[in-house]
PDB file of all heavy atoms in Angstrom:
ATOM      1  N   ARG X 536     -33.268  38.594  19.842  1.00  0.00           N
ATOM      2  CA  ARG X 536     -34.444  39.416  19.544  1.00  0.00           C
ATOM      3  C   ARG X 536     -35.719  38.576  19.609  1.00  0.00           C
ATOM      4  O   ARG X 536     -36.740  39.007  20.159  1.00  0.00           O
ATOM      5  CB  ARG X 536     -34.292  40.052  18.166  1.00  0.00           C
ATOM      6  CG  ARG X 536     -35.477  40.956  17.788  1.00  0.00           C
ATOM      7  CD  ARG X 536     -35.222  41.726  16.507  1.00  0.00           C
ATOM      8  NE  ARG X 536     -35.035  40.836  15.366  1.00  0.00           N
ATOM      9  CZ  ARG X 536     -33.886  40.672  14.722  1.00  0.00           C
ATOM     10  NH1 ARG X 536     -32.795  41.315  15.123  1.00  0.00           N
ATOM     11  NH2 ARG X 536     -33.799  39.853  13.696  1.00  0.00           N
ATOM     12  N   LEU X 537     -35.652  37.357  19.081  1.00  0.00           N
ATOM     13  CA  LEU X 537     -36.815  36.475  19.098  1.00  0.00           C
ATOM     14  C   LEU X 537     -37.215  36.119  20.527  1.00  0.00           C
ATOM     15  O   LEU X 537     -38.404  36.142  20.878  1.00  0.00           O
ATOM     16  CB  LEU X 537     -36.502  35.203  18.306  1.00  0.00           C
ATOM     17  CG  LEU X 537     -37.634  34.180  18.178  1.00  0.00           C
ATOM     18  CD1 LEU X 537     -38.792  34.777  17.396  1.00  0.00           C
ATOM     19  CD2 LEU X 537     -37.121  32.919  17.487  1.00  0.00           C
ATOM     20  N   ILE X 538     -36.240  35.791  21.372  1.00  0.00           N
ATOM     21  CA  ILE X 538     -36.525  35.440  22.771  1.00  0.00           C
ATOM     22  C   ILE X 538     -37.143  36.620  23.505  1.00  0.00           C
ATOM     23  O   ILE X 538     -38.085  36.468  24.303  1.00  0.00           O
ATOM     24  CB  ILE X 538     -35.233  34.968  23.470  1.00  0.00           C
ATOM     25  CG1 ILE X 538     -34.790  33.622  22.893  1.00  0.00           C
ATOM     26  CG2 ILE X 538     -35.438  34.847  24.979  1.00  0.00           C
ATOM     27  CD1 ILE X 538     -35.787  32.508  23.038  1.00  0.00           C
ATOM     28  N   ASP X 539     -36.651  37.811  23.240  1.00  0.00           N
ATOM     29  CA  ASP X 539     -37.187  39.013  23.895  1.00  0.00           C
ATOM     30  C   ASP X 539     -38.657  39.247  23.556  1.00  0.00           C
ATOM     31  O   ASP X 539     -39.380  39.904  24.319  1.00  0.00           O
ATOM     32  CB  ASP X 539     -36.373  40.244  23.479  1.00  0.00           C
ATOM     33  CG  ASP X 539     -35.409  40.696  24.567  1.00  0.00           C
ATOM     34  OD1 ASP X 539     -35.670  40.388  25.755  1.00  0.00           O
ATOM     35  OD2 ASP X 539     -34.412  41.348  24.249  1.00  0.00           O
ATOM     36  N   GLU X 540     -39.108  38.739  22.428  1.00  0.00           N
ATOM     37  CA  GLU X 540     -40.485  38.945  22.002  1.00  0.00           C
ATOM     38  C   GLU X 540     -41.463  37.949  22.616  1.00  0.00           C
ATOM     39  O   GLU X 540     -42.678  38.108  22.483  1.00  0.00           O
ATOM     40  CB  GLU X 540     -40.563  38.880  20.470  1.00  0.00           C
ATOM     41  CG  GLU X 540     -39.839  40.037  19.784  1.00  0.00           C
ATOM     42  CD  GLU X 540     -39.762  39.871  18.278  1.00  0.00           C
ATOM     43  OE1 GLU X 540     -40.134  38.779  17.777  1.00  0.00           O
ATOM     44  OE2 GLU X 540     -39.336  40.827  17.606  1.00  0.00           O
ATOM     45  N   LEU X 541     -40.958  36.909  23.290  1.00  0.00           N
ATOM     46  CA  LEU X 541     -41.833  35.930  23.933  1.00  0.00           C
ATOM     47  C   LEU X 541     -42.372  36.504  25.243  1.00  0.00           C
ATOM     48  O   LEU X 541     -41.621  37.115  26.011  1.00  0.00           O
ATOM     49  CB  LEU X 541     -41.069  34.630  24.217  1.00  0.00           C
ATOM     50  CG  LEU X 541     -40.489  33.901  23.000  1.00  0.00           C
ATOM     51  CD1 LEU X 541     -39.722  32.656  23.461  1.00  0.00           C
ATOM     52  CD2 LEU X 541     -41.583  33.517  22.020  1.00  0.00           C
ATOM     53  N   PRO X 542     -43.656  36.309  25.539  1.00  0.00           N
ATOM     54  CA  PRO X 542     -44.235  36.846  26.779  1.00  0.00           C
ATOM     55  C   PRO X 542     -43.495  36.349  28.021  1.00  0.00           C
ATOM     56  O   PRO X 542     -43.322  35.139  28.211  1.00  0.00           O
ATOM     57  CB  PRO X 542     -45.673  36.311  26.756  1.00  0.00           C
ATOM     58  CG  PRO X 542     -45.975  36.092  25.312  1.00  0.00           C
ATOM     59  CD  PRO X 542     -44.683  35.641  24.708  1.00  0.00           C
ATOM     60  N   GLY X 543     -43.025  37.276  28.850  1.00  0.00           N
ATOM     61  CA  GLY X 543     -42.362  36.922  30.101  1.00  0.00           C
ATOM     62  C   GLY X 543     -40.898  36.586  29.980  1.00  0.00           C
ATOM     63  O   GLY X 543     -40.225  36.372  30.986  1.00  0.00           O
ATOM     64  N   TYR X 544     -40.345  36.535  28.764  1.00  0.00           N
ATOM     65  CA  TYR X 544     -38.931  36.196  28.557  1.00  0.00           C
ATOM     66  C   TYR X 544     -38.081  37.458  28.458  1.00  0.00           C
ATOM     67  O   TYR X 544     -38.532  38.488  27.958  1.00  0.00           O
ATOM     68  CB  TYR X 544     -38.743  35.381  27.278  1.00  0.00           C
ATOM     69  CG  TYR X 544     -39.071  33.911  27.396  1.00  0.00           C
ATOM     70  CD1 TYR X 544     -40.354  33.494  27.727  1.00  0.00           C
ATOM     71  CD2 TYR X 544     -38.110  32.937  27.169  1.00  0.00           C
ATOM     72  CE1 TYR X 544     -40.664  32.144  27.820  1.00  0.00           C
ATOM     73  CE2 TYR X 544     -38.403  31.584  27.259  1.00  0.00           C
ATOM     74  CZ  TYR X 544     -39.689  31.199  27.589  1.00  0.00           C
ATOM     75  OH  TYR X 544     -39.999  29.865  27.687  1.00  0.00           O
ATOM     76  N   ASP X 545     -36.834  37.348  28.892  1.00  0.00           N
ATOM     77  CA  ASP X 545     -35.884  38.456  28.840  1.00  0.00           C
ATOM     78  C   ASP X 545     -34.545  37.891  28.364  1.00  0.00           C
ATOM     79  O   ASP X 545     -34.003  36.968  28.980  1.00  0.00           O
ATOM     80  CB  ASP X 545     -35.752  39.079  30.227  1.00  0.00           C
ATOM     81  CG  ASP X 545     -34.746  40.237  30.275  1.00  0.00           C
ATOM     82  OD1 ASP X 545     -34.115  40.535  29.239  1.00  0.00           O
ATOM     83  OD2 ASP X 545     -34.583  40.834  31.348  1.00  0.00           O
ATOM     84  N   ALA X 546     -34.012  38.437  27.263  1.00  0.00           N
ATOM     85  CA  ALA X 546     -32.764  37.929  26.677  1.00  0.00           C
ATOM     86  C   ALA X 546     -31.551  38.781  27.025  1.00  0.00           C
ATOM     87  O   ALA X 546     -30.515  38.671  26.378  1.00  0.00           O
ATOM     88  CB  ALA X 546     -32.911  37.827  25.164  1.00  0.00           C
ATOM     89  N   SER X 547     -31.665  39.624  28.061  1.00  0.00           N
ATOM     90  CA  SER X 547     -30.559  40.521  28.407  1.00  0.00           C
ATOM     91  C   SER X 547     -29.260  39.771  28.680  1.00  0.00           C
ATOM     92  O   SER X 547     -28.165  40.266  28.385  1.00  0.00           O
ATOM     93  CB  SER X 547     -30.933  41.365  29.633  1.00  0.00           C
ATOM     94  OG  SER X 547     -32.047  42.172  29.376  1.00  0.00           O
ATOM     95  N   HIS X 548     -29.354  38.563  29.257  1.00  0.00           N
ATOM     96  CA  HIS X 548     -28.156  37.804  29.617  1.00  0.00           C
ATOM     97  C   HIS X 548     -28.029  36.501  28.814  1.00  0.00           C
ATOM     98  O   HIS X 548     -27.176  35.668  29.135  1.00  0.00           O
ATOM     99  CB  HIS X 548     -28.172  37.490  31.103  1.00  0.00           C
ATOM    100  CG  HIS X 548     -28.219  38.699  31.980  1.00  0.00           C
ATOM    101  ND1 HIS X 548     -27.129  39.527  32.162  1.00  0.00           N
ATOM    102  CD2 HIS X 548     -29.247  39.267  32.685  1.00  0.00           C
ATOM    103  CE1 HIS X 548     -27.478  40.539  32.962  1.00  0.00           C
ATOM    104  NE2 HIS X 548     -28.743  40.398  33.286  1.00  0.00           N
ATOM    105  N   THR X 549     -28.876  36.340  27.801  1.00  0.00           N
ATOM    106  CA  THR X 549     -28.830  35.136  26.979  1.00  0.00           C
ATOM    107  C   THR X 549     -27.450  34.980  26.318  1.00  0.00           C
ATOM    108  O   THR X 549     -26.924  35.940  25.755  1.00  0.00           O
ATOM    109  CB  THR X 549     -29.928  35.178  25.904  1.00  0.00           C
ATOM    110  OG1 THR X 549     -31.202  35.137  26.543  1.00  0.00           O
ATOM    111  CG2 THR X 549     -29.820  33.993  24.951  1.00  0.00           C
ATOM    112  N   GLY X 550     -26.889  33.795  26.415  1.00  0.00           N
ATOM    113  CA  GLY X 550     -25.583  33.506  25.817  1.00  0.00           C
ATOM    114  C   GLY X 550     -24.417  33.650  26.766  1.00  0.00           C
ATOM    115  O   GLY X 550     -23.296  33.222  26.442  1.00  0.00           O
ATOM    116  N   GLU X 551     -24.644  34.220  27.953  1.00  0.00           N
ATOM    117  CA  GLU X 551     -23.567  34.328  28.930  1.00  0.00           C
ATOM    118  C   GLU X 551     -23.241  32.938  29.505  1.00  0.00           C
ATOM    119  O   GLU X 551     -24.123  32.090  29.655  1.00  0.00           O
ATOM    120  CB  GLU X 551     -23.961  35.283  30.059  1.00  0.00           C
ATOM    121  CG  GLU X 551     -24.120  36.724  29.606  1.00  0.00           C
ATOM    122  CD  GLU X 551     -24.487  37.660  30.748  1.00  0.00           C
ATOM    123  OE1 GLU X 551     -24.568  37.192  31.899  1.00  0.00           O
ATOM    124  OE2 GLU X 551     -24.701  38.868  30.485  1.00  0.00           O
ATOM    125  N   MET X 552     -21.963  32.726  29.822  1.00  0.00           N
ATOM    126  CA  MET X 552     -21.550  31.419  30.312  1.00  0.00           C
ATOM    127  C   MET X 552     -20.689  31.557  31.563  1.00  0.00           C
ATOM    128  O   MET X 552     -19.857  32.454  31.649  1.00  0.00           O
ATOM    129  CB  MET X 552     -20.784  30.661  29.230  1.00  0.00           C
ATOM    130  CG  MET X 552     -20.566  29.179  29.560  1.00  0.00           C
ATOM    131  SD  MET X 552     -19.537  28.298  28.334  1.00  0.00           S
ATOM    132  CE  MET X 552     -20.412  28.614  26.815  1.00  0.00           C
ATOM    133  N   ILE X 553     -20.898  30.650  32.525  1.00  0.00           N
ATOM    134  CA  ILE X 553     -20.065  30.603  33.726  1.00  0.00           C
ATOM    135  C   ILE X 553     -19.582  29.174  33.945  1.00  0.00           C
ATOM    136  O   ILE X 553     -20.172  28.221  33.425  1.00  0.00           O
ATOM    137  CB  ILE X 553     -20.822  31.100  34.979  1.00  0.00           C
ATOM    138  CG1 ILE X 553     -21.983  30.165  35.310  1.00  0.00           C
ATOM    139  CG2 ILE X 553     -21.306  32.522  34.797  1.00  0.00           C
ATOM    140  CD1 ILE X 553     -22.605  30.455  36.674  1.00  0.00           C
ATOM    141  N   THR X 554     -18.510  29.045  34.692  1.00  0.00           N
ATOM    142  CA  THR X 554     -17.941  27.737  35.027  1.00  0.00           C
ATOM    143  C   THR X 554     -18.345  27.334  36.427  1.00  0.00           C
ATOM    144  O   THR X 554     -18.302  28.131  37.358  1.00  0.00           O
ATOM    145  CB  THR X 554     -16.409  27.784  34.917  1.00  0.00           C
ATOM    146  OG1 THR X 554     -16.042  28.084  33.575  1.00  0.00           O
ATOM    147  CG2 THR X 554     -15.793  26.448  35.320  1.00  0.00           C
TER     148      THR X 554
END
Side-chain angles (χ1 to χ4, degrees):
R536 181 172 62 248
L537 182 64
I538 291 300
D539 257 336
E540 293 172 352
L541 299 178
Y544 280 61
D545 179 358
S547 298
H548 301 287
T549 295
E551 294 181 3
M552 192 185 305
I553 65 169
T554 298

